[in-house]
Amino acid sequence: MKVVENSEENIAICKQFCGPCPTFKPNGLNMVKPNMLFCARGQSEKPVEEIEDEGCSCFGCPIFRDHDLKGAWFCMHGLEGRK
Ligand code: SF4
Ligand code: SF4
């Protein structure tokens, strides 16, 4: 796995995948820090037990592929638990 940079460019890419993800807006993750780009910024500050898992769109994201990320659901589990 390569480190994902917390950059404007990566935010723009993340918006295309976390944005329409069924777990994202229905759980209000966009309203809670770090809002998105969880694979760089870490998991949501919303308690994981309060997030209803409706699936993860990271698998289609080029950042996921290009950084050889594993596990996905970074909003719920961050990166550490997924290595
Ligand atoms: S990390 Fe995965 S589950 Fe979480 S909002 Fe993004 S695409 Fe959805
Ligand atoms: S891998 Fe997931 S959290 Fe990371 S930029 Fe892509 S959609 Fe967002």
Side-chain angles (χ1 to χ4, degrees), residues 17-18 21 23-24 29 38 55-58 73-75:
F17 293 90
C18 277
C21 165
T23 300
F24 187 59
L29 300 183
F38 306 104
C56 179
S57 302
C58 288
W73 282 274
F74 304 116
C75 60

Side-chain angles (χ1 to χ4, degrees), residues 10-24:
N10 285 344
I11 290 166
I13 295 169
C14 186
K15 273 183 187 164
Q16 298 174 48
F17 293 90
C18 277
C21 165
T23 300
F24 187 59

Side-chain angles (χ1 to χ4, degrees), residues 18-81:
C18 277
C21 165
T23 300
F24 187 59
K25 281 193 184 151
N27 282 289
L29 300 183
N30 51 321
M31 310 293 283
V32 183
K33 284 183 179 175
N35 309 97
M36 60 166 51
L37 201 59
F38 306 104
C39 61
R41 297 171 169 174
Q43 74 189 75
S44 177
E45 288 182 9
K46 182 165 179 171
V48 67
E49 59 272 16
E50 292 177 20
I51 302 174
E52 201 155 329
D53 177 10
E54 299 289 350
C56 179
S57 302
C58 288
F59 300 103
C61 173
I63 291 174
F64 185 86
R65 186 187 62 229
D66 295 345
H67 292 75
D68 195 25
L69 301 183
K70 305 271 186 288
W73 282 274
F74 304 116
C75 60
M76 298 178 72
H77 303 292
L79 271 173
E80 291 305 313

